[in-house]
């Protein structure tokens, strides 16, 4: 466009570079269980937040204007990433906590290789929605008990019983603040996803 | 930024203010992004500026300008939305427009490839090599 422009943007010329293949995993669970902390522990960037507007059309139509009453809600999802090599990049997306944003989950989860459902044993039922969701979608997932301050209120067997997940779903205790712990939890999910490809 | 919002500050979730609920509709004229198969492009879809797009930067305004500029390096749709504080669906619609205009390339990940055993093995291997906070990789213990 501007022929006088010098070669000031050499990087621009290599814009034809192929981007990495993005591999997506989803971090899920109830409010305040440590989803963002988990993403932040392993991500090479500070977790980013993006927002999507959800327009809910209220039942009924305004009689005078014939305009459906709409309310717009904004949900936030946060995410981070980890470059595996120049051709491969792992993305971690946290789902919004609210159960009623199930369709927002679809948007985030579509194409994910696996999920990690984080559980706080003091509020076990907060994670039912996430467990149901992954089971229903047939996405490989593991349940990770976030040991807040090293304390777990229930044994893993109690957690398994309470959540009613099959033996095929790995259950583990981890620390959302520890990179190595998050890494190992993600590895459990990836190994499960890999095993599925060999069935 | 061109639309008067503060510049993106990728210093954390708290730094990102709420995006406007009205703008998305105006910016995209109410269109909804959907891929060729009627599904919307996944949030991790990679977007890269073309040389043509970067050459045309001065001619682009507002969101379009910012999207092309931020895609000098490959970015996911989600990253673009977060960095520019735009709604995801706005980015989807505009990225498709800019692709059609030759200013961006949009790489929707091949789901079969992503789920392929060889790719999963490479992710596993790469992740195992990530050291914990004490510097110990997973495959040494
Ligand atoms: N002591 C302790 N605190 C933790 C742990 N994990 C997370 N936290 C803290 O718990 C709070 C909630 O953690 P987040 O990572 O924000 O949880 P979240 O699931 O993203 O929360 P929402 O997005 O609000 O649903 C934060 O203040 C964290 O610092 C942990 O393992 N131990
Ligand atoms: Mg969070």
């Amino acid at each position: 466009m501007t022929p006088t422009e010098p070669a000031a943007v050499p990087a621009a010329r290599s814009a034809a570079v192929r981007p990495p293949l993005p591999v997506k995993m989803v971090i899920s669970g109830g409010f305040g269980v440590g989803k963002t902390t988990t993403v932040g522990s392993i991500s090479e960037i500070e977790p980013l937040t993006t927002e999507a507007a959800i327009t809910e059309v209220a039942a009924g139509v305004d009689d005078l204007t014939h305009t459906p009453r709409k309310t717009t809600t904004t949900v936030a999802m946060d995410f981070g990433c980890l470059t595996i090599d120049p051709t491969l990049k792992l993305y971690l997306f946290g789902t919004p906590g609210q159960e009623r944003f199930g369709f927002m989950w679809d948007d985030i989860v579509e194409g994910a290789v696996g999920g990690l459902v984080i559980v706080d044993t003091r509020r076990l039922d907060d994670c039912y929605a996430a467990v149901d969701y992954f089971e229903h979608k047939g996405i490989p997932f593991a349940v990770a008990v976030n040991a807040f301050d090293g304390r777990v209120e229930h044994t893993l067997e109690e957690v398994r019983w309470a959540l009613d997940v099959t033996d095929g779903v790995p259950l583990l205790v981890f620390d959302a603040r520890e990179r190595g712990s998050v890494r190992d939890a993600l590895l459990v999910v990836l190994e499960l996803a890999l095993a599925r490809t060999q069935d | 930024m061109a639309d008067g919002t503060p510049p993106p500050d990728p210093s954390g979730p708290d730094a990102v203010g709420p995006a406007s609920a009205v703008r998305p509709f105006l910016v995209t004229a109410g269109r909804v992004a959907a891929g060729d198969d009627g599904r919307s492009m996944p949030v991790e879809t990679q977007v890269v500026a073309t040389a043509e797009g970067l050459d045309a930067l001065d001619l682009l305004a507002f969101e379009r300008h910012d999207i092309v500029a931020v895609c000098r390096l490959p970015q996911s749709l989600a990253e673009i939305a977060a960095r520019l504080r735009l709604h995801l669906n706005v980015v989807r619609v505009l990225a498709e427009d800019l692709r059609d205009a030759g200013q961006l390339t949009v790489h929707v990940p091949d789901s079969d490839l992503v789920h392929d055993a060889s790719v999963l093995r490479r992710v596993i291997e790469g992740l195992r090599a990530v050291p914990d906070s004490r510097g110990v990789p997973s495959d040494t213990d």
Side-chain angles (χ1 to χ4, degrees), chain A residues 103-114:
Chain A
F103 55 100
M104 176 69 188
W105 286 22
D106 284 349
D107 194 4
I108 300 172
V109 172
E110 179 73 43
V113 298

Side-chain angles (χ1 to χ4, degrees), chain A residues 115-184:
Chain A
L116 190 68
V117 177
I118 304 179
V119 177
D120 177 346
T121 57
R122 294 166 299 186
R123 294 174 290 128
L124 269 182
D125 39 343
D126 282 10
C127 74
Y128 289 150
V131 167
D132 282 351
Y133 183 86
F134 288 120
E135 275 180 346
H136 179 71
K137 290 273 167 181
I139 294 169
F141 72 101
V143 174
V145 174
N146 191 10
F148 278 85
D149 302 315
R151 289 178 53 219
V152 177
E153 307 258 310
H154 299 276
T155 67
L156 285 185
E157 267 329 293
E158 284 169 345
V159 173
R160 185 180 292 284
W161 182 84
L163 298 186
D164 193 25
V165 290
T166 64
D167 289 345
V169 176
L171 201 56
L172 51 104
V173 179
F174 89 128
D175 185 333
R177 297 164 302 177
E178 254 297 316
R179 185 164 44 162
S181 188
V182 171
R183 170 199 65 203
D184 292 344

Side-chain angles (χ1 to χ4, degrees), chain A residues 35-37 78:
Chain A
K35 300 181 295 289
T36 304
T37 305
D78 42 30

Side-chain angles (χ1 to χ4, degrees), chain B residues 16-39:
Chain B
V16 180
S20 159
V22 180
R23 299 264 310 144
F25 189 79
L26 300 178
V27 171
T28 65
R31 283 174 298 152
V32 177
D36 296 336
D37 57 355
R39 304 181 113 145

Side-chain angles (χ1 to χ4, degrees), chain B residues 67-121:
Chain B
I67 291 174
V68 173
V70 84
C71 290
R72 281 195 169 86
L73 292 175
Q75 304 279 325
S76 63
L77 291 173
E79 281 167 290
I80 298 168
R83 292 185 202 284
L84 301 180
R85 296 179 199 183
L86 294 170
H87 282 95
L88 197 51
N89 287 330
V90 171
V91 174
R92 283 189 169 120
V93 168
L94 296 182
E96 288 187 342
D97 282 0
L98 289 163
R99 176 195 59 196
D100 295 346
Q103 287 157 345
L104 293 175
T105 57
V106 175
H107 307 256
V108 176
D110 174 345
S111 180
D112 289 342
L113 182 59
V114 166
H115 288 84
D116 187 79
S118 66
V119 168
L120 292 173
R121 276 198 203 92

